[in-house]
Amino acid sequence: MITEGNISDIRIAKDKLNIKPDSIYCFDRAYTDLELWSNIDFSKSYFVTKLKNNLKYTVLGQHLEAMKDGILSDKKIKLENKKYEKNLRMIRFLDEKSDEVVSIVTNNFKLSAKTIVQIYKTRWQIEIFFRWIKQNLQIKTFLGTSKNAVMSQVWIAMIYYLLLTYIKYQSKYEKSLFYLHRIIKEALLSRLTLIDLLSATPARISDFKIKEFQLVFW
């Protein structure tokens, strides 16, 4: 959903989110709102989110889960806040990339701790997606300032990203999306097939007579 900048995300989530039974909603701690958690729970659905540091809780005991796959603890807790009185499950794991201990909380006691962690880690792909667009597609510079012009450029950037991802997936291209983006950018007006571009090597580049490719491969 797209709104004006002065409207908070949590307000939209609470007012507009159509909660469906037996679903799992994963979000970051910016969406920490006990009323939202209660609505999800009341709808017989589940949530997975990062635990805010200022949320006080009492540990009720250890959840029946073996500690493995980087899981540090899996405990049953109860918040010291009457806005959400049901028991929750707190899982702590070590993020190997950042070397940070992450605490996530959920109302799902059925899935394994490893699965819950994988669900939360999958959410990080959203941040990677937008970071890639900002860094590589120069979306900070808009060709127009009207709402339609800005949204058109945002959608074009997202479509381009998805096309790159699709090409990389279908062709099993081994290099990164950044390199694929550079190749297409430099050869956009050249009469080359996509297959030639994807299989380009330094020797073949010489045949294509595209000096700009040297920026990518050398």
Side-chain angles (χ1 to χ4, degrees):
M1 299 206 174
I2 302 173
T3 65
E4 299 295 331
N6 60 351
I7 299 178
S8 67
D9 293 350
I10 189 64
R11 175 180 166 186
I12 299 300
K14 291 169 64 176
D15 295 344
K16 302 295 183 180
L17 182 62
N18 181 22
I19 303 174
K20 298 181 180 180
D22 200 30
S23 299
I24 299 176
Y25 295 90
C26 185
F27 40 85
D28 64 18
R29 57 185 173 187
Y31 288 86
T32 296
D33 185 278
L34 301 186
E35 182 180 346
L36 174 62
W37 293 9
S38 297
N39 290 340
I40 294 175
D41 191 271
F42 180 77
S43 301
K44 300 185 184 303
S45 293
Y46 307 100
F47 59 84
V48 176
T49 185
K50 191 173 183 179
L51 185 65
K52 252 189 173 181
N53 296 330
N54 60 355
L55 269 183
K56 296 182 179 180
Y57 59 88
T58 301
V59 177
L60 302 178
Q62 179 75 21
H63 187 60
L64 298 178
E65 175 73 25
M67 297 299 102
K68 56 183 180 179
D69 300 315
I71 308 298
L72 302 179
S73 64
D74 184 4
K75 299 178 181 179
K76 183 187 296 184
I77 66 171
K78 186 177 182 64
L79 297 181
E80 297 179 9
N81 191 313
K82 294 185 178 180
K83 290 184 179 181
Y84 193 96
E85 296 185 328
K86 289 190 174 182
N87 296 339
L88 289 170
R89 181 182 180 188
M90 183 182 69
I91 301 170
R92 298 174 73 245
F93 69 94
L94 177 64
D95 177 26
E96 296 179 354
K97 291 184 177 180
S98 64
D99 198 30
E100 174 190 4
V101 175
V102 180
S103 298
I104 55 178
V105 64
T106 180
N107 63 333
N108 190 307
F109 288 86
K110 299 178 181 179
L111 297 176
S112 69
K114 181 181 178 180
T115 300
I116 297 293
V117 169
Q118 287 176 336
I119 290 173
Y120 185 76
K121 285 184 175 181
T122 301
R123 191 201 62 81
W124 289 344
Q125 299 301 316
I126 299 174
E127 298 176 2
I128 295 173
F129 164 67
F130 282 108
R131 188 183 305 122
W132 192 94
I133 288 180
K134 290 178 182 178
Q135 291 176 347
N136 298 295
L137 300 188
Q138 301 176 358
I139 202 170
K140 294 180 180 180
T141 303
F142 291 101
L143 302 178
T145 56
S146 68
K147 181 177 181 180
N148 183 63
V150 172
M151 291 308 303
S152 294
Q153 189 167 341
V154 171
W155 280 115
I156 290 171
M158 294 177 69
I159 290 170
Y160 175 69
Y161 175 89
L162 293 175
L163 285 173
L164 283 181
T165 306
Y166 182 74
I167 292 171
K168 178 176 170 62
Y169 171 76
Q170 287 285 18
S171 64
K172 295 181 173 56
Y173 185 68
E174 296 181 354
K175 293 186 180 294
S176 67
L177 280 177
F178 172 74
Y179 280 105
L180 180 58
H181 160 64
R182 286 287 303 276
I183 290 175
I184 293 178
K185 178 181 177 182
E186 299 295 345
L188 192 60
L189 300 180
S190 302
R191 300 188 64 178
L192 297 170
T193 68
L194 186 59
I195 298 301
D196 287 333
L197 290 176
L198 295 177
S199 60
T201 62
R204 298 194 69 185
I205 291 169
S206 178
D207 295 335
F208 295 154
K209 297 181 180 179
I210 301 177
K211 295 181 180 178
E212 289 84 355
F213 273 29
Q214 295 176 8
L215 296 175
V216 176
F217 289 97
W218 296 102

